[in-house]
C-alpha cells in the first residue's frame, strides 16, 4: 500500500488532480495486463517443444531421438511444479513431472545428470576429440574413443571399459543383450552411426535407460516402463509415491512393502537369466509404490550387472566361494554401502543385495527424513514373532557368523511371508 501511495503522490504532482485518477487507473490496467500476459505465457508455453530445453542440439551426444516427434508436436507436457521454470534452480537432479497426452499417463522426464555433470561430460568429449573445451559436442563425439564402436556391428568389451556400473563386469553375452535390446527401441533393422553414439552417451553419462531396456518391466523386472528419449531427456513411467512416503503407514502396509523389497533383493540376485544386479545405492527415495501397491526401483544408475553364467564357465579360482559383504561405517554418509566391485565381478554368489536392503531400508539405523528405525520400525508389542523379526533384520545387516546373512535372509523371507499372509 505504501508503494502505491507514493506512486499516486508522484502522479498527482505531475498532473492535475482531475487527471491524476485517470492516469492511475491506466497504470493499474497496464500493470494488470502485463501480469496477465506473463501468467498466460507461463501456463500455455510447452517447454518440451523447445529444442534448447530438450537438448536436441547435442545429438548424437544425447540419449536418443525416437520420441522427438512426440515432443515437437506437443504430445508431452510438463505438469505440477515442473512447469515453474524458476524452480529449476533447486531441481539439481533434473527430474521433471510430465503428462503424455496420447497415452493419458503420468510420466517422468530425466536429464540423467546434474548440469555440472553434463558440462563435465561435454568437456571430456571435447578434450578426447582434441578440440577446445567449448567445442561443438555434437560434431566432436564421433572423433573420440567412442568412435571405435562405429567400425563394428556389436558392442565389445574394449568399447565399454570403465564407462559405468552396468558394464563394470562386462561379458560378451551382456553386451550382446544391451545391443539387441537397445536396437529394439530404435527404428530400422540396424543401428546407424548416430544411434551408436547415443548408446555410448547413455552408457557414459547414466546407464539407467539401459537397465530399463535390458531388464524390462514387461518381463517381470522391478523397474518402470521406459518409453524413449529425445535429446538429453528420457521419458519413463511415473510409478507413484516414493517408499519414504510410507515410512509411517499402517504396520500391515509396511510389512507388505518390506516383504516386497526383500523379494526384489532375491530376484536381482538369483534369476533364470543368470544375471546378478547388485544395488550399490539404496535409499527410501530410490523406490516407489505404484497404484497396484507394487514396489519398483526408480533410480537404476548405480547397479552393477554380473554375468553369473560367465563366472561359472570361466571357473577361475574361488569363483564358487560365497561372497560376504562387510559394512564399514561411513560417517559422512550414514546410508552408504560398502562393496568391492572387483569381488562382485568374480564370485558366482554374493549376499550383497540382502545386505543392501537390510542396511538401507530395514535396519534400526535406516532412516528417512531424519527419522531412524527402518521400514519395520515399532512392530506391534503383541506380535508373537516380534523379537525374532528384530533379530533376523539385525543378523541380515551385520551377521554374527560367516555367511550368516544367507540363512538369515531366507528365514526373514519366510517370516515376512507368514506375517503378510496373517494380515
Amino acid at each position: 500500500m505504501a508503494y502505491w501511495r507514493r506512486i499516486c503522490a508522484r502522479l498527482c504532482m505531475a498532473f492535475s488532480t482531475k487527471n491524476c485518477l485517470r492516469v492511475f487507473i491506466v497504470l493499474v490496467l497496464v500493470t494488470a495486463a502485463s501480469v496477465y500476459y506473463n501468467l498466460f505465457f507461463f501456463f500455455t508455453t510447452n517447454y518440451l517443444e523447445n529444442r534448447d530445453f530438450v537438448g536436441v542440439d547435442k545429438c548424437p551426444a544425447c540419449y536418443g531421438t525416437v520420441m522427438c516427434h512426440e515432443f515437437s508436436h506437443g504430445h508431452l507436457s510438463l505438469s505440477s511444479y515442473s512447469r515453474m521454470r524458476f524452480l529449476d534452480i533447486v531441481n539439481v537432479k533434473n527430474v521433471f513431472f510430465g503428462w503424455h497426452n496420447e497415452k493419458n499417463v503420468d510420466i517422468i522426464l530425466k536429464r540423467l545428470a546434474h548440469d555440472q555433470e553434463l558440462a563435465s561430460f561435454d568437456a571430456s568429449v571435447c578434450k578426447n576429440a582434441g578440440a577446445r573445451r567449448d567445442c561443438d559436442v555434437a560434431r566432436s563425439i564421433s572423433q573420440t574413443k567412442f568412435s571405435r564402436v562405429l567400425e563394428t556391428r556389436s558392442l565389445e568389451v574394449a568399447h565399454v571399459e570403465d564407462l559405468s556400473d552396468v558394464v563394470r563386469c562386462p561379458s560378451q553375452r551382456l553386451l550382446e543383450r544391451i545391443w539387441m535390446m537397445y536396437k529394439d527401441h530404435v527404428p530400422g533393422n540396424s543401428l546407424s552411426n548416430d544411434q551408436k553414439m547415443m548408446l555410448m552417451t547413455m552408457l557414459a553419462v547414466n546407464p539407467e535407460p539401459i537397465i530399463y531396456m535390458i531388464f524390462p518391466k514387461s518381463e517381470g523386472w522391478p523397474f518402470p516402463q521406459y518409453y524413449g528419449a529425445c535429446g538429453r531427456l528420457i521419458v519413463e513411467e511415473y510409478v507413484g509415491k516414493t517408499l519414504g512416503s510410507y515410512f509411517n503407514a499402517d504396520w500391515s502396509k509396511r510389512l507388505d512393502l518390506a516383504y516386497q523389497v526383500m523379494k526384489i533383493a532375491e530376484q536381482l540376485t538369483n534369476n533364470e537369466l543368470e544375471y546378478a544386479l547388485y544395488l550399490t545405492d539404496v535409499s527410501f527415495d530410490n523406490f516407489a509404490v505404484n497404484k497396484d501397491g507394487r514396489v519398483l526401483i526408480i533410480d537404476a544408475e548405480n547397479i552393477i550387472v554380473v554375468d553369473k553364467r560367465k563366472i561359472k564357465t570361466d571357473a577361475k579360482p574361488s569363483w564358487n566361494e560365497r561372497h560376504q559383504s562387510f559394512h564399514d561405517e561411513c560417517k559422512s554418509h550414514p546410508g552408504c554401502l560398502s562393496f568391492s566391485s572387483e569381488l562382485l565381478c568374480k564370485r558366482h554368489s554374493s549376499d550383497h543385495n540382502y545386505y543392501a536392503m537390510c542396511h538401507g531400508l530395514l535396519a534400526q539405523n535406516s532412516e528417512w527424513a531424519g527419522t531412524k528405525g527402518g521400514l519395520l520400525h515399532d512392530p506391534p508389542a503383541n506380535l508373537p514373532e516380534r523379537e525374532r523379526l528384530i533379530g533376523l533384520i539385525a543378523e541380515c545387516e551385520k551377521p554374527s557368523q560367516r555367511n550368516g546373512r544367507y540363512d538369515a535372509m531366507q528365514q526373514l523371507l519366510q517370516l515376512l511371508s507368514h506375517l503378510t499372509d496373517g494380515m
Side-chain angles (χ1 to χ4, degrees):
M1 289 299 293
Y3 172 78
W4 285 109
R5 278 197 294 268
R6 288 196 299 270
I7 293 294
C8 290
R10 291 175 182 175
L11 286 172
C12 290
M13 290 175 63
F15 300 94
S16 65
T17 305
K18 182 178 181 180
N19 293 324
C20 179
L21 183 59
R22 293 178 182 175
V23 175
F24 175 71
I25 292 174
V26 170
L27 179 62
V28 171
L29 291 175
V30 170
T31 303
S34 176
V35 171
Y36 174 80
Y37 172 78
N38 282 282
L39 287 174
F40 178 79
F41 180 80
F42 170 76
F43 284 109
T44 58
T45 299
N46 187 348
Y47 289 92
L48 298 183
E49 296 180 41
N50 185 313
R51 293 173 61 86
D52 291 334
F53 179 80
V54 176
V56 178
D57 61 310
K58 300 289 187 178
C59 293
C62 66
Y63 313 135
T65 55
V66 173
M67 294 194 71
C68 284
H69 175 83
E70 295 174 70
F71 274 72
S72 62
H73 284 72
H75 296 167
L76 291 80
S77 58
L78 297 177
S79 62
S80 186
Y81 53 80
S82 291
R83 299 173 64 182
M84 304 178 186
R85 297 271 52 77
F86 63 87
L87 291 179
D88 286 351
I89 193 172
V90 295
N91 184 18
V92 294
K93 292 187 176 181
N94 281 325
V95 176
F96 307 90
F97 293 94
W99 176 257
H100 197 304
N101 301 314
E102 298 295 304
K103 298 180 182 293
N104 290 321
V105 294
D106 290 308
I107 56 175
I108 291 292
L109 302 102
K110 297 181 179 180
R111 287 209 174 103
L112 296 180
H114 302 174
D115 290 343
Q116 185 56 49
E117 291 172 329
L118 291 172
S120 296
F121 171 75
D122 290 347
S124 68
V125 168
C126 292
K127 181 179 180 181
N128 194 258
R132 296 180 306 172
R133 182 179 178 85
D134 58 346
C135 71
D136 185 340
V137 177
R139 292 184 178 181
S140 297
I141 192 168
S142 60
Q143 301 168 28
T144 67
K145 62 181 181 180
F146 294 156
S147 63
R148 291 177 295 180
V149 77
L150 300 179
E151 303 168 1
T152 64
R153 294 185 176 181
S154 62
L155 273 181
E156 298 175 4
V157 172
H159 298 154
V160 302
E161 187 176 5
D162 297 326
L163 280 188
S164 54
D165 283 344
V166 69
V167 287
R168 189 70 60 201
C169 321
S171 72
Q172 200 55 49
R173 184 170 76 105
L174 173 61
L175 297 183
E176 288 174 2
R177 183 174 180 84
I178 292 174
W179 188 269
M180 296 304 297
M181 300 293 268
Y182 172 75
K183 192 168 68 171
D184 288 344
H185 280 78
V186 298
N189 296 321
S190 60
L191 295 181
S192 67
N193 286 345
D194 280 357
Q195 289 165 347
K196 292 177 182 179
M197 289 295 96
M198 294 169 192
L199 172 60
M200 298 303 294
T201 299
M202 278 194 288
L203 284 171
V205 175
N206 184 334
E208 180 174 293
I210 304 297
I211 291 288
Y212 294 163
M213 282 186 265
I214 64 177
F215 302 110
K217 180 184 178 182
S218 60
E219 294 182 7
W221 292 93
F223 302 111
Q225 181 178 347
Y226 176 69
Y227 293 122
C230 178
R232 285 191 171 175
L233 279 177
I234 70 159
V235 183
E236 63 187 55
E237 166 195 17
Y238 169 73
V239 175
K241 294 181 179 180
T242 64
L243 192 60
S245 302
Y246 296 85
F247 193 85
N248 293 312
D250 292 340
W251 168 253
S252 59
K253 181 62 177 180
R254 289 187 284 124
L255 191 62
D256 172 64
L257 297 176
Y259 181 41
Q260 287 193 58
V261 298
M262 297 313 291
K263 286 198 297 182
I264 288 175
E266 179 64 21
Q267 179 187 10
L268 298 186
T269 304
N270 300 299
N271 51 73
E272 293 181 354
L273 291 182
E274 295 186 82
Y275 287 112
L277 283 66
Y278 294 119
L279 304 169
T280 62
D281 183 12
V282 173
S283 71
F284 284 88
D285 291 332
N286 289 350
F287 297 79
V289 183
N290 68 11
K291 61 182 180 180
D292 298 321
R294 183 187 177 192
V295 177
L296 298 177
I297 300 169
I298 58 173
D299 188 339
E301 177 181 3
N302 304 115
I303 294 181
I304 296 176
V305 180
V306 176
D307 187 345
K308 299 175 72 172
R309 189 177 299 177
K310 181 180 186 300
I311 293 176
K312 186 176 182 179
T313 301
D314 292 348
K316 293 182 178 180
S318 304
W319 71 273
N320 57 350
E321 291 183 9
R322 283 181 164 184
H323 169 253
Q324 176 174 327
S325 294
F326 293 94
H327 181 66
D328 296 323
E329 299 295 339
C330 306
K331 295 181 180 179
S332 60
H333 180 36
C336 71
L337 297 172
S338 302
F339 64 93
S340 166
S341 56
E342 182 180 359
L343 287 177
L344 292 176
C345 292
K346 291 180 178 179
R347 299 295 177 85
H348 187 268
S349 298
S350 174
D351 63 1
H352 176 81
N353 281 335
Y354 312 149
Y355 151 66
M357 293 297 203
C358 287
H359 173 70
L361 301 178
L362 302 188
Q364 290 297 310
N365 286 325
S366 303
E367 64 177 70
W368 178 77
T371 303
K372 293 186 177 182
L375 188 59
L376 293 179
H377 63 85
D378 302 317
N382 60 351
L383 185 70
E385 301 88 347
R386 187 177 190 275
E387 295 305 318
R388 182 166 178 253
L389 176 63
I390 294 173
L392 286 174
I393 292 175
E395 185 72 9
C396 179
E397 184 192 24
K398 296 180 180 179
S400 58
Q401 56 185 343
R402 182 169 179 78
N403 293 325
R405 188 179 286 117
Y406 289 94
D407 184 50
M409 168 64 179
Q410 296 307 315
Q411 291 188 52
L412 183 58
L413 270 176
Q414 293 175 7
L415 178 58
L416 290 173
S417 176
H418 168 70
L419 293 175
T420 53
D421 288 343
M423 290 294 174

